C-alpha cells in the first residue's frame, strides 16, 4: 500500500476578522470521558461551561473508538479503589445498556468478589447518547462537529480558542481552558512542553454474524450479537504488531491516514474470507484507537515505580488495570505546567511516563482526572488563582466531598511489595 503524504505548500499569510464569543467561564476541548467528567464537575460548581467535541457523539475512545470497557477498578483482592464520578459513570454507562459486571460487585460497594475483578463492558452507542443527555441536564453547553484549530496565546496565558464548524470560524473565550482532546491539541500548540508517543497497530470494529445472532438468542442477551473484528491486532505490549511496520504518531496527519487506511484494508481482507450473506460490520471505529498520543510534560510525571507511593497533592487513588495489587496516587501536578496559568489537562494527556502513562490513560483514571481538572478550574476562578498555584488542599476537600478516595489504604500493599497478573481480565 502506498503511504499517503501531505503535500507541502508555500506559506500564505491571511488576515481575518473573526466573531468573538464571551459567554463561558470554562471551556473543555474534547468530549471523551475525561472531558465529560471535567465539564460536569465545573458545571456542578456553578460555572458556565462549554464542551467542544470534533465528532458528533460524546465518549471518545470509549464510544466512537469502541474501547467500551471499564477496566478493573479494584485491587484484584476484593477491594474497590476508584470512586467519585467513576462510580457515577459506571452506572450511567450500564443503566440503559447491557453490562458484564461480575456477581459480587453489582452493588458498587467498597468490597466485592475477590475472585474476579470489578470491570464491565457496555454499549458504546447508548453510552454516548446518555452522556449527552446527562451533561445537558446538568447545564453543560455542548458544541458538536467543531474543531479547535489553535489557542490564542498571550505569552503563556490563553486568551481564547479559534474554532471552526458549519457556522464558520470564530473565537471562544473563557477564564479556564481544559484540554481533554486526547492528543493535547491545545497544549502543544500553546507552546507548553509535551511528549509525543508512538502507537502499535491496533484497529478494531464490531462485527455481527448469523452465528452471533443465534448465540445472542440462546443467551437472551444482546451483547452476544457483537464480536470484534480486528484489522490491527497489536496488544498493549506490542505483541502482534506487524514486523517491519513502524509505530504511529497520532499527532501527524499522514500517520493517522496511513493507520486508518491500513486498518480498513485488513478488515476488508478478513471479511472477504467469509460468506458475504452471513456477516456485516455493524460498528466501525470512527477515530484512531491510539493509546499514548501526546501528553504534557507536567510539573510531575508519574512513573511506574511510583506504585505504593503517597503524594501530598493526590487527586485520587487508582489501580493497575493489568496487574493485581499495584496501586497508585495521581498528583495534581501531572495535570498542570508552571507558568501556564489557565490551562489544565486530564485523561490521556496527563503526565505519565512509560507504563505509568498506560495506567493513567484508561477509562476510570481518565474520569477521575477529569473530575479533578473540572473541580480545579472552578476553584481557580473562585480564588483568582493560577492553576499551578491552586491550593491543593481546597481541591482535595472538594473531591472528598464528592466521594473521591484520595489515598489508597496501606493495608492493601502486599508484604512482598509485589502483585499479580490480571487473571481473567479483558485484553486491551
Amino acid at each position: 500500500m502506498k503511504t499517503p503524504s501531505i503535500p507541502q505548500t508555500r506559506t500564505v499569510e491571511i488576515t481575518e476578522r473573526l466573531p468573538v464569543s464571551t459567554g463561558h467561564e470554562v471551556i473543555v476541548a474534547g468530549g471523551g470521558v475525561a472531558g465529560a467528567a471535567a465539564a460536569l464537575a465545573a458545571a456542578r460548581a456553578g460555572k458556565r461551561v462549554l464542551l467542544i467535541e470534533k465528532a458528533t457523539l460524546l465518549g471518545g475512545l470509549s464510544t466512537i473508538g469502541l474501547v467500551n470497557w471499564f477496566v478493573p477498578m479494584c485491587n484484584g483482592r476484593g477491594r474497590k479503589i476508584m470512586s467519585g464520578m467513576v462510580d457515577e459513570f459506571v452506572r450511567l454507562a450500564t443503566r440503559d445498556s447491557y453490562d458484564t459486571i461480575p456477581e459480587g460487585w453489582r452493588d458498587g460497594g467498597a468490597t466485592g468478589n475477590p475472585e474476579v475483578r470489578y470491570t464491565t463492558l457496555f454499549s458504546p452507542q447508548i453510552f454516548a447518547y446518555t452522556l449527552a443527555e446527562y451533561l445537558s441536564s446538568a447545564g453543560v453547553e455542548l458544541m458538536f462537529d467543531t474543531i479547535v484549530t489553535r489557542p490564542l496565546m498571550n505569552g503563556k496565558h490563553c486568551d481564547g480558542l479559534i474554532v471552526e464548524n458549519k457556522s464558520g470560524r470564530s473565537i471562544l473565550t473563557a477564564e479556564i481552558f481544559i484540554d481533554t482532546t486526547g492528543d493535547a491539541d491545545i497544549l502543544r500548540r500553546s507552546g507548553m512542553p509535551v511528549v509525543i508517543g508512538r502507537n502499535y497497530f491496533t484497529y478494531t470494529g464490531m462485527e455481527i454474524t448469523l452465528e452471533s445472532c443465534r448465540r445472542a438468542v440462546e443467551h437472551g442477551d444482546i451483547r452476544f450479537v457483537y464480536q470484534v473484528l480486528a484489522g490491527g491486532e497489536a496488544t498493549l505490549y506490542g505483541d502482534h504488531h506487524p514486523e517491519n511496520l513502524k509505530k504511529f504518531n497520532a499527532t501527524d496527519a499522514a500517520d493517522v491516514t496511513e493507520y486508518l487506511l491500513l486498518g480498513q484494508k485488513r478488515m476488508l481482507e478478513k471479511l472477504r474470507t467469509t460468506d458475504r450473506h452471513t456477516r456485516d460490520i455493524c460498528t466501525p471505529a470512527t477515530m484512531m484507537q491510539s493509546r499514548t498520543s501526546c501528553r504534557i510534560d507536567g510539573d510531575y510525571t508519574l512513573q511506574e515505580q511510583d506504585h505504593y507511593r503517597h503524594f501530598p497533592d493526590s487527586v485520587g487513588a487508582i489501580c493497575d488495570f493489568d496487574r493485581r495489587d499495584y496501586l497508585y496516587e495521581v498528583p495534581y501536578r501531572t495535570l498542570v505546567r508552571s507558568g501556564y496559568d489557565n490551562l489544565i489537562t486530564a485523561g490521556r494527556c496527563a503526565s505519565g511516563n512509560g507504563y505509568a502513562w498506560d495506567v493513567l490513560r484508561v477509562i476510570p483514571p481518565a474520569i477521575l482526572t477529569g473530575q479533578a481538572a473540572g473541580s480545579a478550574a472552578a476553584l481557580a476562578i473562585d480564588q483568582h488563582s493560577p492553576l499551578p498555584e491552586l491550593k491543593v488542599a481546597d481541591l482535595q476537600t472538594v473531591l472528598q466531598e464528592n466521594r473521591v478516595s484520595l489515598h489508597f489504604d496501606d493495608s492493601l500493599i502486599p508484604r512482598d511489595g509485589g502483585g499479580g497478573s490480571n487473571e481473567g481480565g479483558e485484553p486491551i
Side-chain angles (χ1 to χ4, degrees):
M1 172 180 288
K2 183 179 179 180
T3 301
S5 61
I6 303 301
Q8 297 298 310
T9 61
R10 69 185 190 279
T11 299
V12 177
E13 184 174 342
I14 297 175
T15 301
E16 191 174 6
R17 297 177 66 87
L18 300 178
V20 178
S21 170
T22 60
H24 305 98
E25 295 170 285
V26 177
I27 292 181
V28 182
V33 293
L40 185 60
R44 285 178 174 170
K47 305 309 172 191
R48 301 186 303 277
V49 181
L50 172 66
L51 175 58
I52 304 169
E53 170 53 44
K54 68 178 180 180
T56 57
L57 294 171
L58 296 180
L61 274 172
S62 72
T63 57
I64 62 175
L66 303 184
V67 188
N68 56 320
W69 181 44
F70 275 82
V71 300
M73 294 164 279
C74 66
N75 69 338
R77 312 294 177 186
R79 287 287 297 273
K80 185 161 73 69
I81 302 301
M82 287 178 271
S83 53
M85 277 189 189
V86 174
D87 292 332
E88 194 173 350
F89 277 39
V90 170
R91 292 192 297 270
L92 187 65
T94 59
R95 184 185 65 192
D96 302 304
S97 159
Y98 60 81
D99 70 78
T100 57
I101 300 174
E103 292 302 324
W105 285 108
R106 288 197 169 274
D107 65 357
T111 59
N113 188 341
E115 301 302 318
V116 294
R117 300 196 71 176
Y118 178 28
T119 72
T120 189
L121 296 169
F122 55 89
S123 165
Q125 295 84 5
I126 293 175
F127 186 35
Y129 293 158
T130 55
L131 271 177
E133 177 187 59
Y134 202 61
L135 267 62
S136 295
S137 66
V140 176
E141 182 181 342
L142 302 177
M143 182 178 286
F144 285 120
D145 197 22
T146 299
I147 298 289
V148 177
T149 59
R150 69 182 179 92
L152 291 175
M153 300 300 296
N154 181 5
K156 294 183 178 180
H157 178 86
C158 183
D159 287 332
L161 303 178
I162 298 178
V163 302
E164 189 154 3
N165 55 27
K166 296 296 184 182
S167 299
R169 190 178 299 174
S170 62
I171 297 172
L172 304 178
T173 64
E175 294 185 51
I176 301 291
F177 299 90
I178 304 176
D179 186 341
T180 47
T181 60
D183 303 319
D185 288 334
I186 296 171
L187 303 181
R188 60 190 168 91
R189 292 167 182 162
S190 74
M192 184 182 294
V194 298
V195 175
I196 294 177
R198 295 293 187 271
N199 291 271
Y200 295 115
F201 184 47
T202 304
Y203 184 86
T204 61
M206 288 189 181
E207 179 187 29
I208 184 172
T209 67
L210 292 178
E211 179 57 35
S212 70
C213 289
R214 282 191 287 269
R215 190 165 63 247
V217 171
E218 288 172 2
H219 286 85
D221 190 334
I222 194 63
R223 72 181 174 90
F224 287 99
V225 81
Y226 306 109
Q227 57 190 41
V228 173
L229 180 65
E233 300 175 334
T235 69
L236 167 65
Y237 304 105
D239 297 333
H240 310 302
H241 184 79
E243 189 176 355
N244 299 323
L245 181 66
K246 68 180 183 182
K247 290 190 285 185
F248 292 91
N249 177 357
T251 66
D252 181 83
D255 262 28
V256 172
T257 301
E258 181 181 359
Y259 163 95
L260 294 171
L261 285 174
L262 184 58
Q264 293 167 18
K265 177 179 182 291
R266 294 198 175 190
M267 287 180 71
L268 269 176
E269 290 170 349
K270 288 186 176 181
L271 280 173
R272 286 169 177 158
T273 65
T274 59
D275 185 343
R276 65 188 176 90
H277 298 288
T278 64
R279 80 304 188 254
D280 195 9
I281 294 292
C282 57
T283 308
T286 55
M287 65 178 289
M288 183 175 180
Q289 293 162 313
S290 56
R291 292 180 167 117
T292 52
S293 174
C294 182
R295 52 103 172 154
I296 68 168
D297 186 7
D299 283 348
Y300 186 84
T301 298
L302 192 70
Q303 307 289 332
E304 182 178 0
Q305 58 266 32
D306 285 332
H307 62 272
Y308 308 140
R309 179 180 176 185
H310 292 297
F311 289 95
D313 63 333
S314 173
V315 293
I318 63 176
C319 53
D320 189 323
F321 62 86
D322 205 32
R323 300 178 298 179
R324 299 180 190 271
D325 296 320
Y326 284 88
L327 306 174
Y328 292 83
E329 292 179 2
V330 182
Y332 175 67
R333 289 165 291 161
T334 62
L335 309 182
V336 294
R337 175 80 181 203
S338 290
Y340 293 84
D341 63 329
N342 67 337
L343 292 172
I344 189 170
T345 192
R348 288 191 290 143
C349 303
S351 191
N353 186 51
Y355 183 67
W357 191 357
D358 278 302
V359 172
L360 273 174
R361 68 172 171 80
V362 288
I363 291 176
I367 296 169
L368 184 148
T369 54
Q371 181 177 1
S375 300
L379 270 178
I381 292 171
D382 291 342
Q383 297 181 356
H384 306 287
S385 170
L387 282 162
E389 300 171 21
L390 187 70
K391 294 179 181 177
V392 177
D394 292 343
L395 174 60
Q396 291 172 322
T397 297
V398 170
L399 293 173
Q400 287 180 307
E401 289 173 349
N402 287 278
R403 305 180 304 281
V404 173
S405 297
L406 298 177
H407 305 287
F408 58 80
D409 188 336
D410 284 346
S411 68
L412 302 179
I413 302 174
R415 290 185 178 182
D416 62 3
S421 64
N422 183 26
E423 299 94 342
E426 297 283 341
I428 188 166

